[in-house]
Amino acid sequence: MQKRRWISLVLLRKLLTAAICSIAFMALFSVHVHVVPSSKDQKFNDKIPTPRDRQSWTRELAPPHLSKAPLPTPKLNKTRRNSDFEKLWKPPSNHGFLPCINPTPNYTTPADSRGYLLVHTNGGLNQMRAGICDMVAVARIINATLVIPELDKRSFWQDSSNFSDIFDEEHFINSLADDVKIIKKLPQELVNATRMVKHFRSWSGMDYYENEIASLWEEYQVIRAAKSDSRLANNHLPPDIQKLRCRACYEALRFSPRIEQMGKLLVERMRSFGPYIALHLRYEKDMLAFSGCTHDLSPAEADELRMIRENTSHWKIKDIDPREQRSKGFCPLTPKEVGIFLTALGYPSKTPIYIAAGEIYGGESHMAELRSRYPLLMSKEKLASIEELEPFLNHASQMAALDYIVSIESDVFIPSYSGNMARAVEGHRRFLGRGRTISPDRKALVRLFDKLDQGRVTEGNALSNKVFDLHRRRLGSPRKRKGPVSGTKGMDRFRSEEAFYANPLPDCICKTESPHVNASHVRS
C-alpha cells in the first residue's frame, strides 16, 4: 500500500513538472520584445511606419497631450488599397524632367567687385526668400559684393529674427562662392559712407541692371535696395542667371540646423499616421483683411477686417467688394469649403491633415465644419510639446519655416489660396518632382459651392465627378511656366505672368536627355 502511494506521488510530481515546463515554454515564446531604433538610423524620408510603429510613437515620441490619442489602422484589401493610392496619393509622372541647375560651359567665376549691395527684404518668409534669391542674381549682374540681407522686422508679423536665425548663413555664403562674393557685414570703413538708396524697378531685365543700376558705381561704393520682392523679371533672362536663382533658392538658402531638425521631427510624427496632406489654410486675419474677403463671416468680423485694412498704410486698396472678389476666385477657400473640396476629391475622413498656417481667424468657430469631416487635423502645436516649440514661438517666420518643411515633404500639398507660401512650395515640389500638388480652381469651385448652398446640387457622385474633372490637370505635373495674360499691358503684363519660383520650368527643370542636367534632389 505504501509502495503504491509512493509511485502515485512520483507520477504526480512528474506531471506537475511537465506542466510547469510547458507553461514556461509557452510564456517564453509569447513575450514581445520591442526594440526602439536609434534616432541616428531614422532618415527623413523613411517608409511609412506600420500600425505597430504608430503605437510605439504615441508612447515614446509624442508630447503628453498626444500620447493617448487613438491612431487609425486602415483595413483595406489589397485591390482597394491600390485603387485608393492611384486615385488619392500617387504622384504625377515627371515625364522625364529633372533638375538642371548646373552652370553652362560659358559660365565664369565672379568678376572683380565694383561695390557693395545692401538689401532690405520685405514681406513674410516666402516673399523674403524669393527676394533674397533675386538679389543674389542682381549682385552677379552688377558685379557687387552682396552683404547678408536684412530681414523685414516691420511687416504685419513683427518678427525680430535675423538672417542667421532662419537660414544657415555659412552654408549660404560658401555654396554661392563660385557665383557671388557674400560677406556678413559691410566693412567698417564704409559703414558711414554715403550710399545710394534705390527702389529697384519691378520685374526688370538685364539692361536695367547692367546700365541704370551698374552706372551708380561711378559715384557710390554702396547701393542699398530698399525692397527685394519682384525686382527681377520672371522671363527673358540669360540661362545662367535663371539657373543661379534656382541654385540660390533650392541649394544655398537652407534653413538653420535647429529649424531643419525640428521640421524633420514634425515630418516624422506626421508620417507615423500614414500618407498625409499638408493644407496651407490661408485663413488668417492679415490675409482676409488685405483681400477684403468676408464670405461666411459675421458683420462684426467683417467690420474688424475692414478697419485693419483702412489702418494699414502700405495697403493701397481700401474699398473692396467681397462678393466680386470671391466670384473672380480672388478669395481663399474657407475651412468649410476646403472640407467639401477634400470630400469631393475622395479623401476619407481618417486622412491625416497637417494645417500649415498661423492662427486661423475666428478659431474653432470657423474650423468646426472642417474638423467634423476630418478629425485628424494636426499642426505644429499639436505635434510638438510646448518645450519643443518654445525656441520658435513669437517668431512668425521661423514658425512658417517649419510649415514649409512639412509641406515640402507631404504626400499631397493643397493651398487654399495662391499666395507667396503656396507659390514657393509648389515651385519647390515641382523642382524636386515630389508628390501631388493640387491647386484648387477657386473661381469654378465657388460657383459649385453657391449651387450647393442654394440646393441646386447635392454632395455625392455628381459633385465629386465635377470637382475631379476640374482638377485632373492641376496635380503638379511638369509644365512650362505661363507667360503674361493676353491683352495685358505695362506693369499688369508682368504682374500677370506666372512667378518664376512657382514654376522654374524650363530654366531649371529639363528633360533627362538635355545637357547640364543635375539630377541631385536637394531639400531647402
Side-chain angles (χ1 to χ4, degrees):
M1 189 70 174
Q2 188 175 1
K3 186 175 182 181
R4 282 181 183 176
R5 288 179 180 174
W6 183 80
I7 292 172
S8 298
L9 186 60
V10 171
L11 288 173
L12 182 60
R13 286 178 179 174
K14 287 183 177 182
L15 285 171
L16 287 172
T17 302
I20 291 169
C21 290
S22 177
I23 291 169
F25 186 77
M26 291 174 67
L28 179 65
F29 279 87
S30 66
V31 171
H32 171 66
V33 180
H34 178 65
V35 180
V36 181
S38 167
S39 59
K40 295 180 180 179
D41 298 329
Q42 296 177 356
K43 297 182 179 179
F44 205 8
N45 292 319
D46 277 351
K47 65 182 181 180
I48 296 167
T50 64
R52 181 177 294 169
D53 294 329
R54 297 189 195 118
Q55 301 283 353
S56 67
W57 174 77
T58 57
R59 290 194 301 270
E60 297 154 17
L61 293 178
H65 59 285
L66 276 182
S67 61
K68 296 181 181 179
L71 292 167
T73 303
K75 294 181 180 180
L76 299 173
N77 60 45
K78 188 174 182 180
T79 304
R80 174 73 180 279
R81 192 182 302 121
N82 290 341
S83 174
D84 286 349
F85 178 80
E86 292 279 337
K87 180 183 176 183
L88 305 177
W89 304 104
K90 185 179 179 181
S93 170
N94 69 358
H95 301 295
F97 283 95
L98 289 172
C100 53
I101 59 176
N102 285 340
T104 67
N106 297 325
Y107 194 70
T108 60
T109 55
D112 291 338
S113 174
R114 299 184 65 186
Y116 297 88
L117 176 62
L118 298 177
V119 175
H120 175 76
T121 60
N122 58 294
L125 173 69
N126 293 289
Q127 191 171 335
M128 291 192 292
R129 277 173 54 89
I132 290 167
C133 297
D134 280 358
M135 289 301 112
V136 168
V138 168
R140 170 82 187 194
I141 294 169
I142 64 176
N143 296 332
T145 295
L146 177 67
V147 181
I148 285 291
E150 175 189 347
L151 301 190
D152 191 345
K153 297 178 174 62
R154 297 181 305 226
S155 68
F156 179 90
W157 299 275
Q158 299 288 305
D159 190 338
S160 62
S161 299
N162 293 315
F163 188 96
S164 60
D165 295 322
I166 299 177
F167 304 109
D168 188 332
E169 193 171 73
E170 296 297 335
H171 177 79
F172 181 71
I173 294 171
N174 295 332
S175 64
L176 293 171
D178 293 334
D179 303 293
V180 177
K181 184 178 179 181
I182 304 175
I183 59 175
K184 294 182 180 181
K185 294 181 179 179
L186 195 66
Q188 188 61 38
E189 63 270 19
L190 293 176
V191 169
N192 297 318
T194 303
R195 63 191 64 172
M196 167 55 76
V197 179
K198 185 77 173 175
H199 283 260
F200 294 163
R201 192 177 67 201
S202 298
W203 296 296
S204 295
M206 296 292 289
D207 288 346
Y208 171 77
Y209 286 106
E210 287 179 329
N211 298 322
E212 186 171 336
I213 299 302
S215 66
L216 297 173
W217 294 134
E218 297 172 7
E219 297 185 45
Y220 302 95
Q221 289 180 276
V222 180
I223 299 173
R224 178 179 174 85
K227 287 188 174 183
S228 64
D229 65 323
S230 305
R231 305 296 129 175
L232 198 58
N234 291 304
N235 302 304
H236 309 301
L237 294 174
D240 275 323
I241 293 299
Q242 299 288 57
K243 292 178 185 298
L244 173 56
R245 294 169 85 178
C246 290
R247 289 199 297 279
C249 189
Y250 304 129
E251 288 189 339
L253 203 58
R254 191 166 65 189
F255 291 123
S256 66
R258 67 192 185 94
I259 289 177
E260 286 280 323
Q261 183 179 9
M262 189 67 223
K264 173 183 175 179
L265 186 60
L266 293 174
V267 170
E268 288 176 345
R269 290 177 178 176
M270 276 308 299
R271 287 212 177 281
S272 71
F273 294 103
Y276 72 91
I277 293 173
L279 172 62
H280 181 46
L281 192 58
R282 194 68 169 95
Y283 205 72
E284 298 130 323
K285 183 181 289 186
D286 68 299
M287 179 69 244
L288 297 176
F290 175 79
S291 64
C293 297
T294 60
H295 182 70
D296 272 353
L297 297 181
S298 69
E301 289 172 327
D303 192 55
E304 179 188 21
L305 297 175
R306 179 183 57 79
M307 292 297 294
I308 292 173
R309 183 168 64 254
E310 290 182 357
N311 294 329
T312 305
S313 59
H314 59 276
W315 290 355
K316 304 303 179 185
I317 302 175
K318 305 297 183 182
D319 188 17
I320 299 175
D321 183 340
R323 292 182 181 176
E324 183 181 356
Q325 283 284 94
R326 184 168 178 271
S327 67
K328 291 181 177 179
F330 296 160
C331 288
L333 299 180
T334 68
K336 174 184 175 180
E337 291 170 340
V338 169
I340 298 171
F341 178 60
L342 292 175
T343 301
L345 287 175
Y347 288 98
S349 61
K350 64 188 175 185
T351 302
I353 299 176
Y354 178 87
I355 303 296
E359 184 178 353
I360 300 301
Y361 185 59
E364 188 58 30
S365 65
H366 291 306
M367 289 293 289
E369 293 203 44
L370 175 59
R371 192 179 303 281
S372 68
R373 290 173 183 263
Y374 294 95
L376 202 57
L377 294 181
M378 309 304 289
S379 62
K380 302 177 290 294
E381 294 78 6
K382 287 189 176 181
L383 288 170
S385 66
I386 294 175
E387 291 74 20
E388 288 172 323
L389 278 184
E390 194 276 331
F392 313 101
L393 296 175
N394 302 318
H395 296 287
S397 292
Q398 295 184 44
M399 295 287 272
L402 298 176
D403 283 342
Y404 187 94
I405 292 173
V406 182
S407 297
I408 289 294
E409 297 294 331
S410 65
D411 299 276
V412 175
F413 174 68
I414 300 177
S416 67
Y417 182 76
S418 56
N420 291 311
M421 167 79 164
R423 290 194 290 267
V425 173
E426 179 183 2
H428 203 157
R429 286 169 65 86
R430 198 183 296 275
F431 176 78
L432 295 172
R434 180 161 299 166
R436 285 190 176 194
T437 299
I438 305 176
S439 302
D441 185 341
R442 296 189 305 280
K443 187 175 181 179
L445 284 173
V446 295
R447 295 196 192 105
L448 288 176
F449 296 148
D450 287 344
K451 289 179 181 179
L452 195 61
D453 288 340
Q454 296 160 9
R456 294 163 58 190
V457 298
T458 56
E459 290 194 64
N461 290 335
L463 181 64
S464 293
N465 291 337
K466 288 179 181 178
V467 170
F468 187 81
D469 287 341
L470 281 172
H471 297 85
R472 194 183 299 274
R473 298 183 181 277
R474 302 174 71 96
L475 302 178
S477 296
R479 59 166 176 77
K480 187 176 180 181
R481 188 167 60 255
K482 296 176 183 177
V485 173
S486 178
T488 54
K489 297 180 180 180
M491 296 304 286
D492 286 341
R493 181 173 175 82
F494 294 112
R495 191 176 285 109
S496 70
E497 293 179 329
E498 186 174 17
F500 178 81
Y501 297 106
N503 184 9
L505 189 157
D507 311 274
C508 305
I509 307 174
C510 315
K511 284 283 190 180
T512 50
E513 63 267 24
S514 299
H516 317 302
V517 167
N518 178 0
S520 62
H521 281 192
V522 296
R523 181 176 57 81
S524 176

